[in-house]
């Protein structure tokens, strides 16, 4: 028999014992254990193959843009050698490439291995019955058929079919996402289609026993467990390329083809039409190619992303991979886990019913000692010295409610000590305790399921008076219970009675009857107060929030309505809620077509979460997934950006995530999305600046070649690229977010760096830069500019003026790209101190080659008169004036609105 194919929860206890060939009284023999260890292997998870540091480093050079830069480095070295200028530019490009590789490896090295984290969750020991004796063994030595004893505080060491249970509760949140510990029943036989959260006769590996005791038989170990299944899914899930990575690859390829074409055309025109020497035109063509390549873009993108990670970290969003910063900005759908992210993961009393009236939990609680005691006394939670309440989440909520209303619980329990009890039992769904009073009599307090307590109550307390419970009272209690249930509240009832002596035999029959009904308590894991506002803000930004949870459909729907994920005024919200069972009935293609109709998924398994994400991705949506449990790991890895929880999250979920929320708060995701949008906008500004500048250079050189001019030397082009590209582009990455950044729709997968009006802006701005530079050269070389220089000297002067003009144009233009369509003067144009500094530093380096003796000779430039400086500065500054006019026309004509969605 294959352990993997064995569906244990569908079988009775006797079938389990028979099929696993074990003995519930004596367990397996050591001889049999040895055989089964050879058959099934150790109870461990397989490790994922890890890449060496060298492999990670080499992988960084597989990006197309990086390959282009390496080629550019070789070309630059050749130009430097031919011109006798040395390999400076080549070295700079290599430094940029190496910096990117080192940063990439560093980011990978910081990431935890999710599979190893899964292995670390394994229980170190198990209490197992072998050869008729219980013994502690390493959990790795467990085999199918082993009989294991479980009790409160244990971590379940393998997947176990329960054969005996005593008030057993298991906390499965990490595996199912359900916020409340699950009651287990050994006698249950479950249908095959049931989800993990509904398999009440099973205890799963790596979950926690919170209450009671049990005996069970190991059915699955290692990779055959539910946790092992998740580990297999996790290792087989391929991480998607981020939009940023796709954009850079696409942009790199497009630019490369264009640059090669332009360089070839320039060479042909120069040699065959204008009669320049092949060597001269080869150098010009290569210089043009190097000028056109935005070699600083990868490094600038990395720097801008790194700055984004620092900003996000300060706002509780810890980014583990750099591209994730920008991916957040393109998020269209946030698939969010409910428990701990949208809710507090803390059961809280919300409404109470007593004295025949429904009250909010925060309302004053006067003269209702019996009511509050009926929930606080039959309760096993403990209050520590710091005032923290520890225990079962439901019971701690009741104690916290009592404490919040001023109850001196410890003092009360000293006055009325517990002398006897009937523990909670999942069959009768009640817990009772007996407390001695000062007059020698006894108080009995009972809490439990309302339907059970109503049947056992003969009286009711209202306004401190005890009267016989009437049919109308019962109907009212049942109605209130149903009303609270429809609001997804977990409802418990309380009752009490006074007895003269403790029965000889304390049983449910002798004690839990003729009770005085005190009231109802409705509890829920409440939504975070800021989550609702954040969901609405995300909606305004065009981002859809989808809730995925292991809870029941009614609970999920109620929370979704409270958070406005579902319209709270829609009476037919059930049609927007899908359960895991319903998911199993449709194909992936059907789900992809219908996924937009559902905003809530309940009772889902890890496979369901991955299917939901893939369905959205099939519709070209960029999907963010949040989660904290082991069950979330595959979907976190499948999503375009996985978001783990820093406080409640398992190491597994953190390891599979691209970003971790230090405060487990949905609001932080929306903050991170806003930062991601700013990061993309700033990278886009850098792209616009670099490409418009490079296009200006390309058009200048190509047009000059057509006219037979030698307008710029290779060293001039390389120097402009060095001093006017990098610093302003990095400074643009530090721009503040534009005020309307969260009022735009998310960018789609079809959008790129050149979308939203950037492409036409690059085109007209590059043409403007070239026209201004060409005009200055013509004016100085052949136009009416007054100068006594003639021949070669006038040509050198014209080259110098064209060189400085082109460089200054790019520096002034860096202010233009602060916004694609908005006027530079719509806000303080000098509000970016880093851009101001970059302008001054780059300007000093550019002008220094003309003004500093010795250096000017190296660059073969001519000194300028005051009048010539005036022409150069005025021409360069004109780029701001002309772009402002064009932007105004674009806004006035509605052209800007076409892109500014």
């Amino acid at each position: 028999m294959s352990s993997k194919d064995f569906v244990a929860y569908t079988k009775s206890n006797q079938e389990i014992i028979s099929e696993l060939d074990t003995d519930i009284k004596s367990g397996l023999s050591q001889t049999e254990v040895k055989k089964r260890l050879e058959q099934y292997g150790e109870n461990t998870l397989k490790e994922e193959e890890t890449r060496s540091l060298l492999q990670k480093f080499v992988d960084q050079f597989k990006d197309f843009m990086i390959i282009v830069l390496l080629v550019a480095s070789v070309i630059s070295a050749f130009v430097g050698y031919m011109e006798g200028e040395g390999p400076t530019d080549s070295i700079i490009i290599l430094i940029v490439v190496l910096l990117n590789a080192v940063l990439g490896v560093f980011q990978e090295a910081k990431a935890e291995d999710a599979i190893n984290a899964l292995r670390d969750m394994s229980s170190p020991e198990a209490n197992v019955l072998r050869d008729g004796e219980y013994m502690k063994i390493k959990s790795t030595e467990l085999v199918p058929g082993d009989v294991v004893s479980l009790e409160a505080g244990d971590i379940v060491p393998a997947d176990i079919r329960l054969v005996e249970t005593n008030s057993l509760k298991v906390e499965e949140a990490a595996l199912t996402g359900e916020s409340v510990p699950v009651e287990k029943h050994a006698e249950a036989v479950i249908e095959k289609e049931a989800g993990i959260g509904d398999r009440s006769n099973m205890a799963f590996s790596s979950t926690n026993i919170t209450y009671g005791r049990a005996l069970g038989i190991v059915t699955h170990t290692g990779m055959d467990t539910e946790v092992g299944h998740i580990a297999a899914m996790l290792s087989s899930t391929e991480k998607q390329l981020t939009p940023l990575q796709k954009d850079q690859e696409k942009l790199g390829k497009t630019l490369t083809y264009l640059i090669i074409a332009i360089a070839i055309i320039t060479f042909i025109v120069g040699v065959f039409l204008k009669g320049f020497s092949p060597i001269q035109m080869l150098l010009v063509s290569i210089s043009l190619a190097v000028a056109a390549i935005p070699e600083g873009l990868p490094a600038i993108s990395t720097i801008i992303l790194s700055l984004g990670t620092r900003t996000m970290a300060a706002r509780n969003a810890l980014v583990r991979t750099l591209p994730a910063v920008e991916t957040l900005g393109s998020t269209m759908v946030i698939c969010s886990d409910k428990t701990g992210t949208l809710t507090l993961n803390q059961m809280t009393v919300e409404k109470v019913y007593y004295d025949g009236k429904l009250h909010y939990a925060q309302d004053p609680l006067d003269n209702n000692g019996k009511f509050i005691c009926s929930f606080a006394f039959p309760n096993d939670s403990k209050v520590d010295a710091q005032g923290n309440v520890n225990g079962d989440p439901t019971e701690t909520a009741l104690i916290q409610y009592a404490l919040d209303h001023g109850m001196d619980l410890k003092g009360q329990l000293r006055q009325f000590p517990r002398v006897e009890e009937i523990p909670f039992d999942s069959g009768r769904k009640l817990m009772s305790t007996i407390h001695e009073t000062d007059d020698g009599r006894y108080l009995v307090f009972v809490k439990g399921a309302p339907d059970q307590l109503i049947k056992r109550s003969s009286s009711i307390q209202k306004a401190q008076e005890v009267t016989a419970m009437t049919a109308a009272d019962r109907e009212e209690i049942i109605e209130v219970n149903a009303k609270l249930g429809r609001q997804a509240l977990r409802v418990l009832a309380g009752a009490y009675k006074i007895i003269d002596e403790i029965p000889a035999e304390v049983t449910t029959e002798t004690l839990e009857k003729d009770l005085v009904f005190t009231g109802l308590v409705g509890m829920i894991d409440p939504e975070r107060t800021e989550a609702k506002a954040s969901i609405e803000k995300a909606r305004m930004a065009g981002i859809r929030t989808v809730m995925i949870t292991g809870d029941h459909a009614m609970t999920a729907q109620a929370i979704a309505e409270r958070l406005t994920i579902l319209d709270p005024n829609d009476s037919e919200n059930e049609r927007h809620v899908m359960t895991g069972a319903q998911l199993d009935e449709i194909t992936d293609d059907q789900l992809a077509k219908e996924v937009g109709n559902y905003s809530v998924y309940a009772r889902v398994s890890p496979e369901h979460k991955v299917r939901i994400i893939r369905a959205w991705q099939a519709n070209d949506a960029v999907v963010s997934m949040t989660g904290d449990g082991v069950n979330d790991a595959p979907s976190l890895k499948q999503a375009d950006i996985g978001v783990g929880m820093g406080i409640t999250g398992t190491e597994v979920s953190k390891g599979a995530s691209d970003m971790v929320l230090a405060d487990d708060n949905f609001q932080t995701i929306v903050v991170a999305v806003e930062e991601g949008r700013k990061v993309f906008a700033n990278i886009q500004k850098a792209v616009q600046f670099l490409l418009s500048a490079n296009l200006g250079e390309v058009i200048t050189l190509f047009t000059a070649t057509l006219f037979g001019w030698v307008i710029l030397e290779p060293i001039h082009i390389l120097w402009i690229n060095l001093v006017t590209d990098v610093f302003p582009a990095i400074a643009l990455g530090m721009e503040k977010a534009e005020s309307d950044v969260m009022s735009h729709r998310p960018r789609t997968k079809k959008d790129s760096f050149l979308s939203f009006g950037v492409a036409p802006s690059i085109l007209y701005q590059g043409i403007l830069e070239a026209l201004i530079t060409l005009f200055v050269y013509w004016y100085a070389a052949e136009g009416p500019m007054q100068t006594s220089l003639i021949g070669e000297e006038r040509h050198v002067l014209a080259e110098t003026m064209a060189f400085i003009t082109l460089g200054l144009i790019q520096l002034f233009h860096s202010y233009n790209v602060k916004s694609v369509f908005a006027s530079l003067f719509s806000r303080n144009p000098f509000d970016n101190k880093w851009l101001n500094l970059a302008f001054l530093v780059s300007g000093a380096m550019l002008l220094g080659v003309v003004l500093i003796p010795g250096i000017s000779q190296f660059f073969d430039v001519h000194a300028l008169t005051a009048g010539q400086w005036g022409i150069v500065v005025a021409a360069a500054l004109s780029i701001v004036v002309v772009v402002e006019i064009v932007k105004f026309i674009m806004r006035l004509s509605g052209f800007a609105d076409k892109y500014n969605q």
Side-chain angles (χ1 to χ4, degrees):
M1 181 197 71
S2 169
S3 169
K4 188 175 183 180
D5 300 328
F6 184 50
V7 187
Y9 57 89
T10 63
K11 303 180 184 300
S12 67
N13 290 346
Q14 287 305 315
E15 287 176 315
I16 289 290
I17 294 169
S18 174
E19 293 195 36
L20 288 174
D21 192 19
T22 189
D23 189 329
I24 198 69
K25 300 293 184 183
S26 61
L28 298 175
S29 67
Q30 293 294 351
T31 304
E32 182 62 24
V33 167
K34 188 175 180 181
K35 289 180 184 178
R36 296 193 185 191
L37 266 175
E38 292 176 359
Q39 180 181 356
Y40 298 110
E42 286 194 340
N43 180 29
T44 58
L45 301 179
K46 292 179 182 176
E47 290 190 63
E48 200 174 44
E49 288 186 14
T50 56
R51 293 177 300 150
S52 68
L53 195 64
L54 179 61
Q55 287 174 314
K56 292 177 183 177
F57 186 76
V58 170
D59 284 348
Q60 305 301 315
F61 294 90
K62 293 179 180 179
D63 182 82
F64 187 81
M65 194 68 180
I66 298 297
I67 295 171
V68 171
L69 289 178
L70 290 173
V71 174
S73 176
V74 175
I75 293 172
S76 296
F78 174 72
V79 173
Y81 172 76
M82 295 297 292
E83 291 288 305
E85 295 154 1
T88 305
D89 202 62
S90 176
I91 292 171
I92 290 170
I93 295 174
L94 282 176
I95 290 172
V96 166
V97 171
L98 289 172
L99 177 64
N100 274 279
V102 170
L103 284 171
V105 172
F106 178 70
Q107 286 294 324
E108 282 198 48
K110 288 191 345 181
E112 301 87 356
D113 187 334
I115 301 296
N116 285 342
L118 277 166
R119 295 176 74 250
D120 292 341
M121 287 184 64
S122 301
S123 172
E125 288 188 331
N127 191 25
V128 64
L129 177 65
R130 286 183 178 170
D131 287 327
E133 293 184 5
Y134 278 101
M135 60 183 70
K136 290 280 187 182
I137 66 166
K138 291 181 180 179
S139 63
T140 56
E141 298 172 7
L142 284 176
V143 295
D146 264 327
V147 178
V148 176
S149 171
L150 300 169
E151 60 184 35
D154 286 350
I155 298 174
V156 181
D159 282 5
I160 294 173
R161 173 61 165 89
L162 303 169
V163 293
E164 293 178 16
T165 52
N166 185 357
S167 303
L168 187 69
K169 290 186 181 181
V170 184
E171 193 270 304
E172 299 179 337
L175 195 62
T176 66
E178 190 165 0
S179 54
V180 181
V182 182
E183 295 177 16
K184 297 293 183 177
H185 312 281
E187 68 279 1
V189 176
I190 314 297
E191 293 182 0
K192 189 173 182 179
E193 294 75 22
I196 296 174
D198 296 317
R199 298 172 194 171
S200 60
N201 57 10
M202 295 290 297
F204 298 106
S205 177
S206 302
T207 59
N208 303 298
I209 308 296
T210 62
Y211 196 90
R213 298 180 301 279
L215 194 67
I217 299 172
V218 174
T219 59
H220 299 87
T221 58
M223 294 299 289
D224 291 338
T225 63
E226 289 297 332
V227 171
H229 181 46
I230 293 171
M233 288 175 61
L234 191 58
S235 61
S236 64
T237 304
E238 292 186 6
K239 193 61 186 172
Q240 307 291 314
L241 279 178
T242 69
L244 176 69
Q245 291 167 326
K246 292 175 182 176
D247 278 354
Q248 285 191 329
E249 185 172 338
K250 184 178 179 181
L251 180 63
K253 288 180 178 178
T254 304
L255 285 177
T256 301
Y257 299 146
L258 287 174
I259 290 164
I260 292 172
I262 293 171
I264 291 172
I265 292 170
T266 303
F267 179 83
I268 292 172
V269 169
V271 173
F272 297 103
L273 296 183
K274 295 300 176 180
F276 290 113
S277 70
I279 293 296
Q280 183 183 6
M281 286 313 302
L282 178 63
L283 290 175
V284 170
S285 299
I286 291 174
S287 299
L288 184 148
V290 172
I293 295 173
E295 64 268 15
L297 182 58
I300 290 164
S301 297
T302 299
I303 291 168
I304 294 173
L305 291 170
S306 297
L307 292 170
T309 64
R310 289 175 57 188
T311 304
M312 287 184 179
R315 303 179 77 173
N316 293 316
L318 311 176
V319 177
R320 299 177 64 247
T321 56
L322 286 179
V325 179
E326 183 276 328
T327 309
L328 275 161
S330 28
T331 298
M332 301 175 187
V333 179
I334 300 176
C335 293
S336 179
D337 184 41
K338 176 184 76 71
T339 306
T341 309
L342 296 172
T343 65
L344 293 171
N345 193 22
Q346 179 182 327
M347 289 298 287
T348 305
V349 175
E350 186 167 277
K351 293 183 179 179
V352 294
Y353 170 81
Y354 59 86
D355 290 348
K357 296 178 183 178
L358 194 59
H359 308 264
Y360 286 99
Q362 60 268 30
D363 292 346
L365 182 65
D366 299 322
N367 301 317
N368 270 287
K370 295 291 196 303
F371 167 74
I372 196 67
C373 285
S374 63
F375 296 98
F377 276 33
N379 196 312
D380 288 330
S381 294
K382 305 295 181 185
V383 183
D384 62 23
Q386 289 74 40
N388 300 314
V389 186
N390 302 305
D392 179 87
T394 300
E395 294 200 328
T396 60
L398 296 170
I399 295 296
Q400 191 61 57
Y401 174 71
L403 296 176
D404 290 343
H405 285 275
M407 182 180 187
D408 179 13
L409 182 61
K410 291 182 179 179
Q412 290 274 299
L413 288 174
R414 281 195 297 270
Q415 184 178 354
F416 305 106
R418 183 189 298 190
V419 293
E420 188 62 82
E421 67 178 289
I422 305 178
F424 173 83
D425 178 80
S426 57
R428 75 184 206 289
K429 299 180 180 178
L430 299 172
M431 177 181 181
S432 298
T433 54
I434 303 175
H435 301 263
E436 189 175 3
T437 65
D438 295 337
D439 60 5
R441 294 196 297 171
Y442 299 91
L443 275 167
V444 177
F445 286 107
V446 187
K447 79 170 192 306
D451 59 331
Q452 294 295 320
L453 266 184
I454 291 171
K455 291 189 297 185
R456 296 165 189 256
S457 298
S458 57
S459 305
I460 186 169
Q461 178 175 293
K462 291 183 181 179
Q464 303 302 305
E465 292 186 9
V466 177
T467 60
M469 183 179 282
T470 65
D473 290 329
R474 294 180 192 277
E475 288 178 12
E476 182 177 330
I477 294 168
I478 292 170
E479 184 180 334
V480 172
N481 179 43
K483 180 180 178 180
L484 295 177
R486 285 192 296 271
Q487 296 172 18
L489 300 181
R490 187 180 190 195
V491 186
L492 290 180
Y496 78 98
K497 70 177 180 179
I498 300 174
I499 57 177
D500 294 322
E501 59 183 21
I502 300 174
E505 190 175 350
V506 178
T507 65
T508 183
E509 290 79 14
T510 61
L511 195 69
E512 295 171 339
K513 63 181 182 178
D514 298 325
L515 301 172
V516 180
F517 187 87
T518 60
L520 302 172
V521 169
M523 294 168 286
I524 198 169
D525 176 13
E527 70 275 15
R528 288 179 175 271
T529 53
E530 65 282 356
K532 180 178 178 181
S534 298
I535 288 167
E536 291 175 350
K537 185 175 182 180
R539 187 182 296 115
M540 290 293 293
I543 301 169
R544 173 89 169 263
T545 303
V546 175
M547 188 171 80
I548 305 177
T549 178
D551 277 341
H552 291 281
M554 188 173 72
T555 303
Q557 179 182 328
I559 289 291
E561 288 172 347
R562 290 162 65 139
L563 289 166
T564 72
I565 292 174
L566 294 175
D567 183 354
N569 299 315
D570 189 341
S571 60
E572 298 181 3
N573 272 329
E574 303 86 34
R575 70 185 188 277
H576 301 302
V577 180
M578 179 178 275
T579 64
Q582 292 170 320
L583 263 171
D584 288 332
E585 294 174 1
I586 63 174
T587 65
D588 288 344
D589 289 339
Q590 286 176 297
L591 180 58
K593 290 177 183 177
E594 299 175 14
V595 69
N597 297 329
Y598 299 96
S599 295
V600 177
Y601 295 88
R603 304 305 278 174
V604 294
S605 68
E607 296 94 331
H608 294 146
K609 295 182 181 184
V610 172
R611 285 186 65 198
I612 293 164
I613 290 170
R614 285 177 176 165
W616 277 109
Q617 289 171 335
N619 287 279
D620 288 330
V622 176
V623 184
S624 171
M625 169 71 195
T626 73
D628 58 358
V630 178
N631 62 319
D632 297 316
S635 51
L636 288 169
K637 194 173 179 183
Q638 174 66 39
D640 295 285
I641 177 159
V643 182
M645 302 294 112
I647 300 173
T648 59
T650 61
E651 289 305 307
V652 183
S653 61
K654 294 176 191 175
S657 301
D658 302 293
M659 184 178 85
V660 175
L661 304 182
D663 56 358
D664 287 16
N665 196 331
F666 185 86
Q667 182 184 36
T668 304
I669 304 172
V670 180
V671 167
V673 168
E674 184 174 358
E675 182 64 25
R677 288 191 174 189
K678 184 192 85 172
V679 164
F680 174 75
N682 287 350
I683 293 177
Q684 200 171 35
K685 288 168 187 174
V687 168
Q688 182 183 344
F689 171 70
L690 291 171
L691 294 190
S692 58
N694 289 10
L695 179 62
E697 294 170 16
V698 169
I699 294 174
T700 299
L701 288 172
F702 183 71
T703 306
T705 302
L706 290 177
F707 286 128
W709 298 343
V710 179
I711 191 170
L712 293 170
E713 302 295 333
I715 192 173
H716 296 156
I717 299 168
L718 297 178
W719 187 250
I720 287 174
N721 281 355
L722 177 63
V723 303
T724 67
D725 277 10
V726 177
F727 296 138
I730 292 173
L732 285 167
M734 301 181 189
E735 279 285 299
K736 297 176 182 177
E738 295 184 51
S739 58
D740 59 351
V741 69
M742 287 298 279
S743 62
H744 297 271
R745 65 166 174 82
R747 72 186 185 96
T748 68
K749 290 187 176 180
K750 294 178 182 178
D751 296 323
S752 69
F753 289 133
L754 305 181
S755 301
F756 312 111
V758 171
S761 297
I762 289 171
L763 186 61
Y764 86 80
Q765 290 163 9
I767 293 171
L768 279 176
E769 291 187 25
L771 289 175
I772 295 169
T773 305
L774 289 165
F775 172 78
V776 169
Y777 178 83
W778 168 82
Y779 186 75
E782 300 178 8
M785 188 181 78
Q786 298 298 316
T787 177
S788 59
L789 301 176
I790 58 173
E792 180 62 25
E793 287 189 336
R794 181 158 183 170
H795 169 70
V796 172
L797 173 65
E799 270 194 347
T800 302
M801 291 180 68
F803 164 50
I804 299 300
T805 299
L806 183 57
L808 285 178
I809 283 175
Q810 294 183 7
L811 293 180
F812 283 120
H813 182 53
S814 64
Y815 287 88
N816 285 328
V817 299
K818 285 165 72 73
S819 177
V820 177
F821 296 114
S823 169
L824 171 61
F825 305 102
S826 60
R827 68 184 199 193
N828 178 8
F830 305 110
D831 61 354
N832 185 342
K833 65 179 181 180
W834 299 108
L835 185 58
N836 301 333
L837 182 61
F839 181 92
L840 294 174
V841 171
S842 296
M845 293 175 69
L846 176 68
L847 302 183
V849 302
V850 177
L851 298 175
I852 300 173
I855 295 179
S856 60
Q857 294 175 1
F858 179 75
F859 280 85
D860 195 19
V861 292
H862 198 286
L864 305 182
T865 65
Q868 291 162 355
W869 276 113
I871 293 170
V872 166
V873 173
L877 194 55
S878 69
I879 190 72
V880 176
V881 177
V882 178
V883 169
E884 280 294 307
I885 294 171
V886 174
K887 284 182 179 180
F888 176 75
I889 295 171
M890 286 179 168
R891 294 194 301 272
L892 193 66
S893 65
F895 181 84
D897 295 333
K898 176 183 175 183
Y899 293 98
N900 199 19
Q901 297 179 14

